Amino acid sequence: MAAPINRGPLSTSNVFYYVFTLISLYFSLDVVGTVADDITDFLLCRKCGHEIVRASQLINFPSKVALKQRNSTLGGVPEILIQQFKNPHGAHFEIITTIKADVIEDLQKYSDDTWFPNYSWWITTCPHCGQHTGWTYRINSKVTSTDGQPEEFYGLVLDNLLDLQEAESLIHFPKAYGF
Ligand SMILES: [Zn+2]
């Protein structure tokens, strides 16, 4: 037969137990869950971990001069267009395109050798560590018929980014840290 349940007044140890349980629930269900949901869709600078772009802000902007095109899931967003280009020095880059990015733009404007016809380009770097992130593209002012094309967007070098979801799957914190 089971021992009778003690229904007497709360002892000090019982109070500690309830408080501990409530705090545990708060952290396990609320805080950690919310933060994780908010940050899983970022692509980070591969060198320093700075948040460069939200995956939800990526756009598919195909270029006629791309050597190859493929689709992939990035930051949990499916069917992201990845395009391969070659620069005049023979270097190959895989590029994704986005309407917004947290990068620093170089002052020098280039109009030749553009991978997106009718757009000029500026080199961009990570604001935290200076790593090359890609280029800003701005539509040339003489172009009048834009066909719904964005006036400005960013091309980002896929190799220089780290998918946060991918990174999290590689990192396992010891349980003692409470994560
Ligand atoms: Zn960086």
Side-chain angles (χ1 to χ4, degrees), residues 15-108:
V15 170
F16 276 122
Y17 173 75
Y18 290 129
V19 170
F20 177 76
T21 305
L22 284 174
I23 290 173
S24 301
L25 276 172
Y26 178 74
F27 277 99
S28 63
L29 296 176
D30 193 14
V31 176
V32 174
T34 307
V35 171
D37 286 346
D38 283 345
I39 61 175
T40 47
D41 61 348
F42 274 101
L43 301 180
L44 315 175
C45 169
R46 187 173 283 277
K47 195 171 172 188
C48 75
H50 184 75
E51 293 166 355
I52 299 291
V53 61
R54 263 185 192 278
S56 58
Q57 289 169 331
L58 296 172
I59 54 166
N60 288 352
F61 192 49
S63 165
K64 285 175 190 163
V65 301
L67 301 177
K68 285 182 190 170
Q69 293 173 325
R70 65 186 177 96
N71 288 290
S72 185
T73 297
L74 293 173
V77 180
E79 299 293 313
I80 298 295
L81 178 65
I82 299 168
Q83 305 186 80
Q84 193 188 98
F85 297 96
K86 188 169 87 171
N87 73 8
H89 307 291
H92 286 74
F93 296 91
E94 277 203 314
I95 302 299
I96 53 174
T97 39
T98 173
I99 212 73
K100 251 180 133 178
D102 187 13
V103 292
I104 290 180
E105 186 179 299
D106 196 66
L107 292 174
Q108 178 70 49

Side-chain angles (χ1 to χ4, degrees), residues 94-138:
E94 277 203 314
I95 302 299
I96 53 174
T97 39
T98 173
I99 212 73
K100 251 180 133 178
D102 187 13
V103 292
I104 290 180
E105 186 179 299
D106 196 66
L107 292 174
Q108 178 70 49
K109 172 185 176 179
Y110 299 90
S111 296
D112 295 337
D113 300 318
T114 182
W115 293 334
F116 295 90
N118 299 329
Y119 285 84
S120 295
W121 51 279
W122 288 254
I123 293 169
T124 62
T125 51
C126 170
H128 189 250
C129 74
Q131 164 84 359
H132 175 225
T133 51
W135 306 267
T136 309
Y137 291 90
R138 234 165 252 132

